[in-house]
């Protein structure tokens, strides 16, 4: 045993070379496979600090992969996802079928705005529906699959789908609002 100063005992560093200065310390926890030391408060905090996930994936932590923290949110995602997809499909169908009956260019532009907003809202509904489906399949997974889930193409694709739907709707509503404001401004100008 190599003697070390008291301040180097239980400092999460193997100062002795054999780990004896870190054995039995209440402030640290040793990762199972790698043997690295982490602060004890970093265990079961939903963040992987050990490369082998042993600080989160053990019997004491009870970490499960859950997308929704409450069952009500899961039901909400199912309901809104199904309604969002189906109702926006109806709106898109009616809008496309209505193009042939439009008489003015303003009505045609408004129809395009409605169509693009419906597409964006459909993508948002699809996102919620796919998240609800994913939660149904991941609900009984262990915490070791959490890393697999967040790095899989499905999770990344769902993020892209959500972002695309939000941006499409937001961009279209912004353009529509600016167009209407400009139209109102041109209507108020007195004739010379």
């Amino acid at each position: 045993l190599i003697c070390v100063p008291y301040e180097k005992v239980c400092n999460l560093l193997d100062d002795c070379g054999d780990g004896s200065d870190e054995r039995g310390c209440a402030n640290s926890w040793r990762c199972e496979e790698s043997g690295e030391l982490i602060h004890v408060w970093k265990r079961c905090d939903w963040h992987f600090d050990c490369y082998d996930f042993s600080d989160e994936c053990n019997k004491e932590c009870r970490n499960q992969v859950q997308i929704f923290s409450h069952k009500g949110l899961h039901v909400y995602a199912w309901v809104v996802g199904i309604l969002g997809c189906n109702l926006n499909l109806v709106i898109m169908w009616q809008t496309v079928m209505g193009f042939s009956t439009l008489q003015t260019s303003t009505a045609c532009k408004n129809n395009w705005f409605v169509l693009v907003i419906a597409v964006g809202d459909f993508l948002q509904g699809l996102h919620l529906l796919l998240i609800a489906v994913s939660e149904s399949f991941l609900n009984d997974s262990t915490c070791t699959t959490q890393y697999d889930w967040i790095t899989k193409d499905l999770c990344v694709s769902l993020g892209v789908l959500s972002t695309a739907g939000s941006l499409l709707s937001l961009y279209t509503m912004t353009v529509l609002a600016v167009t209407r404001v400009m139209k109102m401004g041109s209507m108020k100008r007195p004739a010379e």
Side-chain angles (χ1 to χ4, degrees):
L1 179 70
I2 299 173
C3 292
V4 294
Y6 180 73
E7 63 269 3
K8 292 195 175 196
V9 176
C10 296
N11 66 349
L12 303 179
L13 299 172
D14 182 8
D15 298 302
C16 290
D18 62 358
S20 61
D21 60 318
E22 299 301 319
R23 281 191 206 118
C25 296
N27 71 329
S28 65
W29 191 80
R30 187 173 299 276
C31 300
E32 290 175 12
E33 288 181 24
S34 65
E36 63 187 303
L37 294 168
I38 63 168
H39 287 284
V40 71
W41 52 267
K42 287 190 171 188
R43 272 188 74 225
C44 303
D45 65 353
W46 288 93
H47 298 284
F48 295 118
D49 298 297
C50 295
Y51 292 112
D52 60 3
F53 307 132
S54 60
D55 61 316
E56 299 299 322
C57 301
N58 57 63
K59 292 177 184 175
E60 293 91 30
C61 288
R62 299 183 187 159
N63 291 343
Q64 295 293 317
V65 176
Q66 289 184 325
I67 297 171
F68 301 106
S69 60
H70 190 272
K71 185 72 173 166
L73 293 173
H74 190 196
V75 171
Y76 174 82
W78 274 106
V79 171
V80 173
I82 290 169
L83 287 174
C85 286
N86 290 323
L87 294 176
N88 280 296
L89 280 174
V90 169
I91 291 169
M92 288 187 287
W93 176 258
Q94 289 175 343
T95 304
V96 169
M97 292 295 115
F99 272 114
S100 61
T101 61
L102 298 176
Q103 303 278 326
T104 66
S105 65
T106 302
C108 195
K109 286 178 192 174
N110 283 340
N111 229 30
W112 275 109
F113 284 128
V114 169
L115 180 62
V116 175
I117 290 170
V119 169
D121 291 347
F122 169 79
L123 292 176
Q124 285 293 74
L126 184 61
H127 170 255
L128 278 175
L129 189 58
L130 291 174
I131 287 287
V133 169
S134 298
E135 170 72 3
S136 296
F137 288 110
L138 289 174
N139 199 26
D140 295 325
S141 301
T142 62
C143 77
T144 55
T145 60
Q146 180 179 8
Y147 178 77
D148 292 337
W149 161 247
I150 59 177
T151 58
K152 285 207 186 281
D153 290 340
L154 175 62
C155 185
V156 173
S157 299
L158 288 174
V160 169
L161 186 66
S162 172
T163 303
S166 296
L167 290 176
L168 187 60
S169 292
L170 183 62
Y171 173 75
T172 307
M173 286 187 284
T174 303
V175 170
L176 179 61
V178 168
T179 304
R180 287 183 174 171
V181 166
M182 289 174 51
K183 186 76 166 171
M184 288 172 56
S186 68
M187 294 165 100
K188 290 183 180 181
R189 290 187 193 143
E192 294 182 29

